[in-house]
Amino acid sequence: MAERERPRRLLRLVQEGRLDLLRDELHPEDIPEARSRRWGRLGDTLLHHAARMGHRDVLEFLVRELGMDVEVANGDYKRPIHEAASMGHGECVSFLLERGASVDCLKKADWTPLMMACTRKNLEVISSLVEHGANPLLRNKDGWNCFHIASREGHPEVLRYLLDVSPGIWDTESTIRRTPLHTAAMHGCSRVVELLLERCHYRPDSRDKCGVTPFMDAIQNGHLDIARMLLEKHQEGHGHTILTLLSLGADLQAQDGKSRSALHAAVAGQQAEATRILLRAGLRDTPDGSGTLAQQLARKPEVIQVFQESQVTT
């Protein structure tokens, strides 16, 4: 084998998890170069690649027998534990922690291994990091903690765990004052929104720096089931929100997957003011996928009165 091909072969063997061939391939004189060699634009080491691919045995070989440093960082300051956590490789995370890897080390943009683990639904990895002292309240450069990240990914199981180990973790805002509820509503994570409304205490119509509320995020992105949940939970202030949406040119004619409109959402939430504004804005009461008109969902006298005043008939 040509000398210039040897590093590529070593990398391939690590990526494929071929520990037997890796042992045979590495001669004593190759070890110093293998230990310090970097690959790619960011300068990943063999340890980064082993952790990313989830090869615990290769990882252990590189650390124990080649003496590679578990805290080695690439050009983005990402360490092997970031790689293992982000890919959900529990055995690799456990080994690196046993060998003294820093549990709250920061990569570029101030992401911790726990934050990266929360991009996946792997409670084994998340709980392992927390049990080894990871701080769930740390924030990245955008002001997001791991709870915010899990809200974006739509993982209610992860959020329940985080609330159990850190009950106040929900009370957080990004640098532009967006809450996890904003994020979940914008991304259409209905199960997460339901959980957040049940277990957390977000202010009705909390606004980010641009004045956007979770309800506005839901409407603007066509998540009317979430808009309905927010209307039902947060009883006040949505009239002003809808007026703001109209002034911004939001498409209130949008329908969800069951052909329900914003009017269905407002009436299901028994929101008289919101219903009145939508009807005055010209939103027609059309049947949803089940043939139900929004008017048929009216229960409160004041909502029924709105339809009577607007002369809307079934």
Side-chain angles (χ1 to χ4, degrees), residues 14 16-20 22-23 50 54-65 91-92 95:
V14 167
E16 294 174 356
R18 300 298 301 274
L19 180 57
D20 51 346
L22 184 63
R23 287 181 185 277
H55 300 310
R56 158 72 187 259
D57 55 349
V58 175
L59 200 67
E60 188 167 349
F61 168 75
L62 295 173
V63 173
R64 294 187 187 278
E65 300 190 34
E91 290 189 359
C92 292
F95 171 74

Side-chain angles (χ1 to χ4, degrees), residues 228-247:
R228 183 180 300 108
M229 279 192 278
L230 292 167
L231 280 169
E232 291 171 352
K233 179 69 176 180
H234 295 155
Q235 297 293 321
E236 301 175 357
H238 286 298
H240 179 269
T241 297
I242 293 172
L243 288 172
T244 302
L245 284 166
L246 289 170
S247 71

Side-chain angles (χ1 to χ4, degrees), residues 4-275:
R4 59 187 177 84
E5 291 295 326
R6 183 179 293 277
R8 294 180 186 175
R9 177 168 171 76
L10 292 178
L11 175 60
R12 186 167 62 252
L13 293 175
V14 167
Q15 291 173 328
E16 294 174 356
R18 300 298 301 274
L19 180 57
D20 51 346
L21 295 180
L22 184 63
R23 287 181 185 277
D24 293 341
E25 192 70 38
L26 271 173
H27 304 299
E29 62 271 18
D30 298 323
I31 290 177
E33 182 183 0
R35 188 187 297 128
S36 60
R37 183 87 182 195
R38 303 281 183 146
W39 281 268
R41 179 179 60 85
L42 295 177
D44 290 330
T45 66
L46 291 178
L47 211 58
H48 285 89
H49 285 280
R52 184 181 305 144
M53 303 305 294
H55 300 310
R56 158 72 187 259
D57 55 349
V58 175
L59 200 67
E60 188 167 349
F61 168 75
L62 295 173
V63 173
R64 294 187 187 278
E65 300 190 34
L66 265 64
M68 294 192 70
D69 182 6
V70 296
E71 296 285 55
V72 63
N74 68 8
D76 273 349
Y77 311 110
K78 186 186 288 186
R79 306 185 198 189
I81 195 169
H82 284 107
E83 297 283 5
S86 69
M87 300 304 292
H89 299 313
E91 290 189 359
C92 292
V93 169
S94 295
F95 171 74
L96 291 166
L97 290 172
E98 290 167 7
R99 296 294 296 187
S102 174
V103 72
D104 279 334
C105 55
L106 303 179
K107 79 169 191 71
K108 191 174 182 179
D110 296 339
W111 280 63
T112 66
L114 181 58
M115 292 175 191
M116 301 195 72
C118 285
T119 63
R120 293 180 176 266
K121 189 173 62 177
N122 192 319
L123 282 175
E124 176 195 357
V125 172
I126 292 168
S127 62
S128 178
L129 290 165
V130 171
E131 288 165 8
H132 280 81
N135 184 353
L137 300 178
L138 293 179
R139 301 184 184 192
N140 64 20
K141 76 172 184 64
D142 295 316
W144 285 31
N145 64 18
C146 59
F147 191 82
H148 218 140
I149 292 163
S151 295
R152 180 192 65 188
E153 300 299 326
H155 297 156
E157 300 86 354
V158 173
L159 294 170
R160 288 191 190 96
Y161 172 79
L162 292 172
L163 285 168
D164 288 342
V165 299
S166 182
I169 195 172
W170 63 271
D171 191 11
T172 183
E173 292 181 342
S174 71
T175 54
I176 57 171
R177 295 178 53 193
R178 289 181 63 78
T179 67
L181 185 60
H182 280 90
T183 301
M186 183 178 74
H187 288 277
C189 303
S190 57
R191 291 174 60 213
V192 168
V193 170
E194 186 175 8
L195 173 66
L196 297 181
L197 293 177
E198 174 188 334
R199 292 193 56 177
C200 307
H201 306 284
Y202 294 106
R203 290 186 301 103
D205 278 357
S206 59
R207 298 176 182 275
D208 66 13
K209 279 191 175 180
C210 296
V212 175
T213 68
F215 178 78
M216 294 170 71
D217 273 326
I219 289 290
Q220 288 177 322
N221 288 279
H223 307 309
L224 300 185
D225 56 334
I226 292 175
R228 183 180 300 108
M229 279 192 278
L230 292 167
L231 280 169
E232 291 171 352
K233 179 69 176 180
H234 295 155
Q235 297 293 321
E236 301 175 357
H238 286 298
H240 179 269
T241 297
I242 293 172
L243 288 172
T244 302
L245 284 166
L246 289 170
S247 71
L248 294 173
D251 182 14
L252 295 182
Q253 305 288 343
Q255 297 181 333
D256 65 10
K258 296 182 179 179
S259 299
R260 294 172 297 200
S261 68
L263 188 60
H264 283 87
V267 179
Q270 305 306 310
Q271 298 293 310
E273 181 188 7
T275 300

